[in-house]
Amino acid sequence: MTLALDVLRTTTFDRAKTWSDLNPEERKRRAVLAVRDQDADTLWSLTEAYLTLHGSSGTAISPRTLKAYRWAVNRYLTYASTQAVNLLRASSSDGVRFVRTVEAEGLSASSTRVQLAGVRLFYAALRWADATQAAPFNDVKPVREKTAAWDKRSPYTHDEVQALLEHADERMQALILLCAHGGLRISEALAVRRADINLDGRELTVRHGKGGKQRRVVIGDTLIRALNRLPEQPGSLIGGSYPAAVERLHRLCLRAGVAYRGYHALRHYAGTRLTKEGASLDDVARHLGHAVLETARIYAKWSDDSLRRRVGQW
């Protein structure tokens, strides 16, 4: 565990203690006051404290998850303000209307589930503070996803990945290969540092993956060469923010004549290529850091050409 991660977790726990150390009446008073004043910072602080103290991950909750939940809470507070929802007396009807509003705005099913998890957590924190007994989202379910997982976002093809690499500068080549060969999520790729790379062992360490988990990833010659071409610099090898990385990929796709499908489609390429080359689902799941083996089956769907060949002979 890095020193920075130690400090982050300690800071998160310290913030949580400012709420847990309060006597129950004072905790309730502050929560009710924050609701009355629509104090988003204080309400998020309460929510984060509850998650840290009572969530299954404790202080190991990832910054990415915290950011997603805070986004959900802030979005709901804005909605409640514009729709005159009484936060402390919200009903299941209020909960349903919020989720359907989110869906109507075009948010993906997975993002809607994150929103729902965030606002459920928010109300769990309010109940912990004894500010309310309302649970407007407990029985709310998002609309079922009608598109099969393997049809939602297909991977880049091998030719498309090669075209991207040919038109990319050294930094973008390394970033593309971290996702397309290393199978890293974009947040993981942007966080890779020189110290995370073990050339002798031909692997790199993802220090803070999904769910705060750490894993080791096997890397090949092409990715090693790309990483070695990057100049030495403090912090992450790639540098830059997620929005900047998205913009760079958009521009690169235009130059290369490749349809933009985001960074996650590069990760899908890694899983699909491994499956095509005969890797077991267990190996695919381990390389990509899937907690559940079943998740890796999506790549078998994308890599299976047998049905196409059979029907093509009719």
Side-chain angles (χ1 to χ4, degrees):
M1 186 183 301
T2 66
L3 177 60
L5 185 53
D6 273 337
V7 172
L8 176 62
R9 290 179 176 177
T10 300
T11 303
T12 302
F13 182 59
D14 287 342
R15 289 199 300 268
K17 284 178 62 180
T18 63
W19 282 97
S20 65
D21 289 346
L22 296 173
N23 67 64
E25 284 301 318
E26 178 61 15
R27 186 161 55 240
K28 176 180 179 180
R29 187 190 71 80
R30 293 189 186 187
V32 171
L33 189 63
V35 168
R36 188 200 68 184
D37 296 341
Q38 288 280 303
D39 186 343
D41 289 339
T42 299
L43 290 173
W44 168 248
S45 174
L46 171 65
T47 305
E48 182 191 45
Y50 176 80
L51 178 60
T52 301
L53 296 169
H54 299 280
S56 59
S57 297
T59 59
I61 189 76
S62 74
R64 181 181 180 184
T65 300
L66 287 173
K67 184 177 181 180
Y69 285 164
R70 184 166 192 172
W71 171 53
V73 171
N74 286 343
R75 189 184 185 116
Y76 176 63
L77 291 176
T78 300
Y79 170 85
S81 176
T82 57
Q83 299 299 315
V85 174
N86 185 327
L87 291 174
L88 300 183
R89 296 182 180 179
S91 66
S92 58
S93 295
D94 294 316
V96 168
R97 282 196 293 271
F98 171 70
V99 172
R100 295 297 174 258
T101 299
V102 167
E103 292 169 339
E105 292 174 357
L107 209 62
S108 68
S110 59
S111 294
T112 300
R113 287 193 293 272
V114 171
Q115 292 278 297
L116 192 51
V119 291
R120 281 174 176 161
L121 176 66
F122 169 64
Y123 271 97
L126 287 176
R127 292 194 297 274
W128 171 56
D130 203 25
T132 184
Q133 291 303 311
F137 295 98
N138 279 11
D139 297 323
V140 178
K141 296 180 180 179
V143 171
R144 181 176 298 176
E145 177 61 64
K146 296 180 180 179
T147 305
W150 53 86
D151 289 333
K152 286 194 293 183
R153 186 179 293 174
S154 59
Y156 291 102
T157 66
H158 180 73
D159 289 342
E160 288 173 332
V161 171
Q162 293 307 117
L164 292 175
L165 291 171
E166 289 171 6
H167 289 80
D169 59 23
E170 291 184 345
R171 183 167 67 146
M172 278 301 290
Q173 285 176 352
L175 183 56
I176 289 167
L177 289 168
L178 282 169
C179 298
H181 284 197
L184 271 62
R185 300 173 179 88
I186 180 58
S187 59
E188 297 168 346
L190 291 173
V192 170
R193 301 167 304 152
R194 184 71 64 184
D196 298 331
I197 303 168
N198 178 357
L199 293 178
D200 292 335
R202 299 174 66 80
E203 65 181 21
L204 66 81
T205 300
V206 175
R207 301 285 176 186
H208 205 59
K210 188 174 182 180
K213 296 179 180 178
Q214 179 174 299
R215 74 179 187 279
R216 292 178 180 175
V217 176
V218 176
I219 56 177
D221 292 337
T222 305
L223 176 52
I224 289 173
R225 287 195 295 269
L227 293 172
N228 281 337
R229 285 194 293 267
L230 295 178
E232 295 287 347
Q233 62 180 29
S236 67
L237 276 173
I238 304 299
S241 65
Y242 170 73
V246 169
E247 179 59 30
R248 293 201 303 271
L249 183 57
H250 269 291
R251 293 197 301 265
L252 177 58
C253 285
L254 285 174
R255 291 199 303 272
V258 172
Y260 174 82
R261 290 199 287 281
Y263 282 98
H264 217 66
L266 292 168
R267 176 172 156 85
H268 291 330
Y269 165 83
T272 304
R273 180 172 175 177
L274 280 172
T275 306
K276 281 185 176 180
E277 293 179 359
S280 67
L281 290 182
D282 185 64
D283 283 343
V284 174
R286 188 165 63 251
H287 186 64
L288 299 178
H290 288 311
V292 181
L293 180 63
E294 190 66 25
T295 308
R297 292 191 184 279
I298 187 174
Y299 306 111
K301 295 289 185 180
W302 279 326
S303 64
D304 186 6
D305 294 325
S306 61
L307 179 61
R308 186 181 299 276
R309 288 197 303 270
R310 290 176 185 277
V311 176
Q313 295 169 0
W314 289 6

